Amino acid sequence: MAENEPQTQSIYRFYPTEEELILFYLTNKLQDQRTRDIHRVIPVVHVYEHKPCHLPRLAGELCRGDTEQWFFFVPRQEREAQGGKPSRTTAYGYWKATGSPTYVYSSENKVIGVKKSMVFYEGKSRSVKKTEWKMNEYRAIKEEIDHTNYVPVPKLRHELSLCRVYVASGTTRAFDRRPYGIKSMDMVNTELMTRGGSSSRTHCTRMSP
């Protein structure tokens, strides 16, 4: 390399599926395993204390260059621990749920978690306006459910949730799928992802601009 030739800096893009978010990242965090490595892509942040546009700078150190989506572990609020509902109101506005919560299924067609979608409204009282900031909140369940289980409503793990924050850009690409041609690379040595023994790797990709 020539002495004055600029070095190419690697940029990381994080493209996990919903199954990976719940069965690997959220599950390991709940079990207090591999947290040091996982925090490099998904840190612990009290999302509802911040303005959405400030969240990208709080993303994991390997993913701060991402311009599409950011991930955070969100601790349970004190009012939740006392049996109340979580407050999604911030000093800048509030997060409002859109539609009903939906189940998240594994590749083996088992219910592994619940997803709630929200959109951020900025302002208060009459000056409230809908923004392009959106969020998917994921919670794990205490036991996997499939068609052989007779549990009408799964019990959720409320001590911690995982949130995907993104800006509605009009793109039709599903965030639950990695873009075509992007392959995963080893960035964290992982353990078994599912009870069935299949394994997963963290799905950060490294690209050069």
Side-chain angles (χ1 to χ4, degrees), residues 27-144:
T27 296
N28 273 286
K29 177 61 178 175
L30 286 167
Q31 296 174 353
D32 198 26
Q33 297 178 351
R34 316 202 65 83
T35 55
R36 181 177 179 181
D37 292 328
I38 288 177
H39 286 172
R40 301 187 72 192
V41 288
I42 308 180
V44 177
V45 174
H46 292 272
V47 168
Y48 303 113
E49 296 179 359
H50 300 276
K51 196 172 183 177
C53 62
H54 295 164
L55 291 173
R57 71 184 68 167
L58 302 176
E61 62 180 280
L62 295 180
C63 301
R64 287 174 190 162
D66 204 326
T67 59
E68 288 189 311
Q69 55 181 346
W70 306 270
F71 300 84
F72 307 96
F73 291 119
V74 182
R76 175 171 53 182
Q77 298 175 1
E78 182 177 352
R79 61 189 300 169
E80 288 185 89
Q82 297 175 354
K85 294 183 178 181
S87 172
R88 297 188 173 92
T89 300
T90 74
Y92 313 97
Y94 59 91
W95 290 93
K96 182 179 180 180
T98 59
S100 301
T102 58
Y103 288 145
V104 178
Y105 292 87
S106 70
S107 55
E108 298 176 346
N109 203 33
K110 293 182 178 181
V111 176
I112 56 175
V114 171
K115 176 176 71 174
K116 178 176 291 187
S117 298
M118 290 173 272
V119 64
F120 188 74
Y121 285 79
E122 188 174 29
K124 296 182 178 179
S125 188
R126 298 181 180 179
S127 60
V128 172
K129 66 175 182 177
K130 184 178 179 181
T131 72
E132 295 183 343
W133 287 94
K134 295 188 176 183
M135 177 164 59
N136 294 334
E137 178 191 75
Y138 300 93
R139 293 184 185 269
I141 62 173
K142 294 184 178 180
E143 182 180 359
E144 291 182 351

Side-chain angles (χ1 to χ4, degrees), residues 24-25 28 33-38 40 185-192 199-202:
F24 179 73
Y25 295 99
N28 273 286
Q33 297 178 351
R34 316 202 65 83
T35 55
R36 181 177 179 181
D37 292 328
I38 288 177
R40 301 187 72 192
M185 64 169 291
D186 269 337
M187 293 190 59
V188 179
N189 293 323
T190 65
E191 297 180 339
L192 293 182
S199 62
S200 173
R201 304 181 186 279
T202 54

